[in-house]
Amino acid sequence: MFLRATTRKKDGKEHRYFSVVENKRVSGGRVPQRHVLYLGEINSSQELAWRRSIEVLDEARQAARTLSLFPEDRCEGILPDESIVRLKLAQLRLERPRQWGACWLTLGLWQQLGLDEFWSERLAPSRKGTRWDQVLFVLVAYRLLSPGSEWRLHRHWFERSALGDLLGADAALADIHTLYGCHDRLLKYKEAVFDHLVERWRDLFNASFDVLLYDLTSTYFESDPPADEDDKRRHGYSRDHRPDCVQVVIALVVTPEGLPLAYEVLPGNTADSTTLKDFLARIERQYGKARRVWCMDRGVPTEEVLAQMRASDPPVHYLVGTPKGRLTRLEESLLEKPWCAARPGVQVKLLPQDGELYVFAESRDRVAKERSMRRRQLKGLWERLKKLSTMSLTRDALLMKLGAAQTKAPAAWRLIELEVAKHGASFAYRLDRDKLRQIRRREGRYLLRTNLTESDPAKLWQFYLQLVEVEAAFRTLKGDLALRPVFHQEQSRIEAHIFIAFLAYCLHVTLGQQLKALAPGLTPRSVLEKFAAVQMIDVYIPTTDGRELSLTRYTQPEPEIKLLLEKLKLTLPAQAPPKITAEEVVRAATV
C-alpha cells in the first residue's frame, strides 16, 4: 500500500486530496490499483485565506478543535499559527484492520427490529457498568456473522470486528465471564420478545398470522447423558442421524414468509404427536382466538388433537399430511372422483368424509423426481445384487454385504424379493412387480386432510407447500447460524444458547424479507459476506511537533456494495472525526 496525492484546481485554487491505494500484481505483468482509504484534503502551500480547516478531537481538552493540516514539505510561506499542524506523511501507518461492514449492517437490523430499545429497558447495566444489552448484541452478531464458541469470541473474533467502534465500547464486552453471565439473564424475557417481534413484523412487512406452519427438529450433544432427571438432554429419535448422542427437541411456529412466531425447547425423547396440544393453547393464550390455519406434516397431530381443533369455538382450522396407510383405505373412493386442476402441473381430487375434506394431490414435477430417484436407486441395487451373485463368499460375508446393500438403498430393497439358501452362500432375487405397480401409482402423490371444507384446492395445495419454510428455518439455524455443536453444559445456558440463535435467525429472516422486495435473487448470507469486505483501519500520521494525528476509517466500498446500498436504501455513516494526541503526552514523553 502507498499514499497517493491527487491535485485538482477549482475556482482558481489548488486542492490536494490524499488516499491510501493498494497495488495488486496480476497476469501479464500488469499492476492494477485499488482505492482502499480516502483521507480527504490536506492543504498545499497557499494563501492563508485558502486554508481548508477540519474539526479534530483534541485529547488534551476533550473537545473538538479546528485545525489546518499541511504536508511537512508544503509549508513554505505559511504564517506561524497554533491552528496549523504539519504532518509527516512519509511516516503514515495503517494498523488493526477489522471487519466493519457486516457488523454495521447487523446493528442496523437490530435497531430496525427495535431490539436495542427492548433490551436496554430490560437488561439494566450492572453496578460495575456492564451494558448487558450490548453484550447480548455482541453474542447475536457473532452467531449471525461467524458462529462459534464463546471462547473463540472472547479470544479472537471481537478484536477482529468493529463492534467496539460501533457500540462505543471496549473489549470488556467480550470478557468470557461477561458472555456467560449474559446467558443467565435472558430466558425470562422470551415470551415478551415473541410479542415484540410480532408487532415489529406487522409494522415492517404488513405480516399477517392467519396461516401458521408447525414442525419439530432436534439438535444433539456429543456428551454423556446428564445425571439430572429433569435435564432435557435425552436419547430419542434423531433427525440428525445421531441416535448415539443425547439431544433436545425444538418445536417452531413460523409464518409462510418464514417469520418465527414462537418456539419451545423440549426433552430429547419427546414424541412429535404429544407437542401440538400445548402449542395450540400457548398461541391462543398469547395472541387470542382467531381464524388461523395450522399446516403440519404427518405424525405431528393425533386424532384426539384434531378432534379438539374441530370442536373448539371458533374451530381451529388445519391442513395436515396423512400416512400412506390411510391412502390405501380411501383408494377405492378416490378412484371415482374426477381430477381438478389446482395449478399448472398439479391436479387434485376432493373427497369429503366425516366432517373433513381429503385432498389427493398429484404433482407432475414431483412424479418425475420421485420416479427418477427410485429408478436410480433400484438400478444401483440390481447391479450390486448381480455382482454379489458372482462372488465366492462365505455365508457370513454374503449376509454382511447384503445388509450393507439394504442400508444403502432401503426404498429399492422393498421392491426386491430375495431368498438366501439355508446352507451355503447363494441367493436368488427377483423384482416384486405388484409392489412396483403400487409404488408407481403413488409416486408424486400426497393425501392431505383438512377441516377447511370450503377452500379452493389450489389454495390448500399452496398452504401445504409452504411447510418448506419451516424446514428452511431449521436449515438456517443448523447451517448458517451453527446451532450445533452446543458447548454449554448447564440446562439454562443451553436454552439461552438456542434463544440467542433464535434472535440471530430473526435478523437473518428480516434481511431476507427486505431482499425479496428490493434485491431478489440474493440471499442474506451472500449479502453479509459482501458487506464483510468493508474493513475498518486505524491511520496514524506523526506531526512535526511530536504529536500524532489518528484517523479511524472504513475502507471504500466496492461498486457492487455501493449498488447493494442503493437497492437496500441504506446510507453509510460519516467517517469518525480525526483525533490528535494531547500536548501534555508529548511533553511527558520528552522529559
Side-chain angles (χ1 to χ4, degrees):
M1 293 187 185
F2 64 94
L3 196 65
R4 181 170 68 189
T6 304
T7 303
R8 180 185 177 193
K9 287 189 176 181
K10 183 178 179 181
D11 299 330
K13 304 173 185 178
E14 185 178 275
H15 302 264
R16 297 184 79 211
Y17 302 91
F18 285 81
S19 300
V20 177
V21 178
E22 180 185 33
N23 279 344
K24 285 189 175 181
R25 187 172 298 279
V26 297
S27 60
R30 295 182 298 113
V31 185
Q33 295 180 344
R34 186 173 75 91
H35 191 161
V36 178
L37 283 177
Y38 174 69
L39 300 180
E41 181 178 359
I42 300 178
N43 295 326
S44 298
S45 179
Q46 300 289 342
E47 294 294 333
L48 194 61
W50 289 9
R51 295 183 194 168
R52 182 176 182 273
S53 301
I54 65 172
E55 279 197 351
V56 176
L57 180 63
D58 190 337
E59 292 187 351
R61 304 176 184 178
Q62 287 297 308
R65 181 180 176 188
T66 301
L67 298 176
S68 298
L69 307 180
F70 285 85
E72 182 185 17
D73 60 345
R74 291 294 187 104
C75 298
E76 300 85 355
I78 299 299
L79 299 176
D81 191 334
E82 66 173 5
S83 67
I84 294 176
V85 177
R86 295 171 173 82
L87 305 177
K88 297 180 180 180
L89 293 178
Q91 300 180 24
L92 177 144
R93 306 191 319 275
L94 302 177
E95 296 183 1
R96 204 175 151 244
R98 51 204 183 273
Q99 186 192 106
W100 181 84
C103 296
W104 171 76
L105 180 61
T106 302
L107 180 59
L109 294 169
W110 185 259
Q111 294 170 343
Q112 192 174 20
L113 287 178
L115 291 171
D116 54 337
E117 295 180 2
F118 176 89
W119 287 110
S120 65
E121 294 172 359
R122 289 164 176 81
L123 295 179
S126 69
R127 288 180 297 175
K128 295 181 179 180
T130 302
R131 287 284 304 274
W132 294 111
D133 58 325
Q134 292 186 348
V135 177
L136 174 59
F137 172 70
V138 169
L139 287 165
V140 173
Y142 175 59
R143 183 59 45 189
L144 178 66
L145 301 178
S146 181
S149 68
E150 281 73 13
W151 183 248
R152 174 173 169 266
L153 167 60
H154 163 67
R155 286 290 300 274
H156 303 291
W157 189 80
F158 184 82
E159 289 297 328
R160 296 175 184 175
S161 76
L163 288 180
D165 303 88
L166 291 166
L167 298 174
D170 55 25
L173 287 182
D175 177 77
I176 189 64
H177 301 292
T178 301
L179 296 175
Y180 288 140
C182 186
H183 284 70
D184 300 331
R185 291 166 165 79
L186 303 179
L187 292 179
K188 59 184 177 182
Y189 302 114
K190 191 168 73 170
E191 301 294 334
V193 167
F194 296 159
D195 292 338
H196 173 81
L197 290 173
V198 166
E199 293 302 321
R200 289 303 300 144
W201 283 322
R202 279 199 181 105
D203 295 339
L204 290 173
F205 309 120
N206 195 26
S208 64
F209 304 96
D210 299 332
V211 179
L212 301 181
L213 315 177
Y214 178 75
D215 206 352
L216 302 99
T217 191
S218 58
T219 184
Y220 64 87
F221 306 80
E222 292 185 347
S223 62
D224 295 330
D228 186 2
E229 294 183 357
D230 295 329
D231 199 295
K232 293 182 179 180
R233 287 173 289 176
R234 288 285 177 265
H235 286 287
Y237 171 67
S238 175
R239 294 159 178 84
D240 301 313
H241 308 292
R242 291 299 304 270
D244 57 314
C245 298
V246 291
Q247 65 178 18
V248 294
V249 170
I250 301 173
L252 180 66
V253 177
V254 303
T255 69
E257 296 79 25
L259 301 173
L261 190 64
Y263 81 94
E264 189 56 55
V265 180
L266 305 168
N269 57 359
T270 303
D272 292 1
S273 58
T274 63
T275 63
L276 181 60
K277 186 175 181 179
D278 291 339
F279 242 101
L280 289 171
R282 171 176 300 180
I283 295 298
E284 185 175 294
R285 183 172 61 252
Q286 192 166 0
Y287 303 107
K289 291 186 177 182
R291 179 182 170 86
R292 297 189 184 94
V293 180
W294 287 76
C295 296
M296 299 160 284
D297 213 343
R298 64 175 182 265
V300 173
T302 62
E303 290 295 330
E304 178 189 358
V305 172
L306 292 179
Q308 289 179 1
M309 294 173 76
R310 291 192 296 269
S312 64
D313 186 20
V316 179
H317 298 295
Y318 58 83
L319 177 66
V320 59
T322 60
K324 291 188 177 180
R326 189 174 292 266
L327 176 58
T328 303
R329 195 179 72 192
L330 300 175
E331 199 164 18
E332 292 185 5
S333 301
L334 288 168
L335 287 174
E336 302 171 357
K337 300 293 181 180
W339 288 104
C340 304
R343 67 176 190 179
V346 178
Q347 54 184 357
V348 300
K349 290 185 177 184
L350 304 179
L351 177 64
Q353 192 174 91
D354 300 329
E356 293 182 302
L357 180 66
Y358 286 90
V359 183
F360 183 54
E362 178 187 83
S363 169
R364 187 186 309 157
D365 293 339
R366 190 67 189 180
V367 168
K369 180 179 179 179
E370 291 187 8
R371 194 158 288 174
S372 174
M373 292 168 59
R374 187 254 308 157
R375 284 172 176 167
R376 184 170 60 250
Q377 195 176 110
L378 184 58
K379 181 180 179 181
L381 176 61
W382 196 263
E383 290 177 353
R384 180 58 177 164
L385 293 175
K386 184 177 181 181
K387 188 174 181 179
L388 289 176
S389 65
T390 62
M391 291 182 179
S392 297
L393 300 169
T394 64
R395 179 178 174 80
D396 290 344
L398 174 64
L399 293 177
M400 290 180 64
K401 290 184 180 295
L402 288 175
Q406 180 181 5
T407 302
K408 188 175 180 179
W413 187 269
R414 290 192 287 269
L415 301 176
I416 300 293
E417 288 187 355
L418 186 140
E419 185 176 349
V420 181
K422 293 183 179 180
H423 305 285
S426 62
F427 67 96
Y429 61 96
R430 70 180 185 85
L431 183 65
D432 189 336
R433 298 187 179 277
D434 291 337
K435 192 172 290 186
L436 177 61
R437 280 191 288 269
Q438 184 184 51
I439 292 294
R440 282 178 57 85
R441 286 198 305 267
R442 295 182 178 180
E443 284 173 335
R445 297 174 174 90
Y446 305 90
L447 182 63
L448 314 177
R449 61 190 294 197
T450 179
N451 58 347
L452 286 166
T453 54
E454 300 177 356
S455 292
D456 179 11
K459 193 174 182 179
L460 294 174
W461 175 250
Q462 187 63 32
F463 282 167
Y464 190 68
L465 287 183
Q466 289 168 344
L467 272 176
V468 298
E469 290 297 336
V470 188
E471 298 170 1
F474 290 145
R475 284 196 300 272
T476 299
L477 284 167
K478 295 182 178 182
D480 283 353
L481 306 181
L483 178 65
R484 60 172 191 265
V486 182
F487 298 97
H488 300 282
Q489 296 297 319
E490 295 183 13
Q491 176 67 39
S492 60
R493 289 184 179 176
I494 290 171
E495 295 199 37
H497 166 82
I498 297 172
F499 184 45
I500 290 169
F502 171 82
L503 291 174
Y505 175 69
C506 291
L507 301 186
H508 184 281
V509 75
T510 299
L511 178 58
Q513 283 296 107
Q514 295 174 344
L515 292 174
K516 285 181 183 178
L518 303 173
L522 287 176
T523 64
R525 178 54 54 193
S526 65
V527 170
L528 291 170
E529 289 175 351
K530 290 180 185 299
F531 272 86
V534 181
Q535 300 282 300
M536 176 164 276
I537 300 177
D538 294 333
V539 183
Y540 295 96
I541 310 175
T543 67
T544 56
D545 60 2
R547 291 184 292 171
E548 193 169 58
L549 184 73
S550 62
L551 303 92
T552 300
R553 292 287 183 268
Y554 57 78
T555 57
Q556 296 298 305
E558 300 289 342
E560 61 178 352
I561 298 179
K562 291 181 179 178
L563 180 61
L564 265 177
L565 290 167
E566 179 183 344
K567 292 293 185 182
L568 294 175
K569 301 178 182 178
L570 298 174
T571 303
L572 293 176
Q575 300 277 16
K579 296 180 181 179
I580 193 164
T581 52
E583 295 179 9
E584 289 79 358
V585 175
V586 177
R587 285 198 294 270
T590 57
V591 172

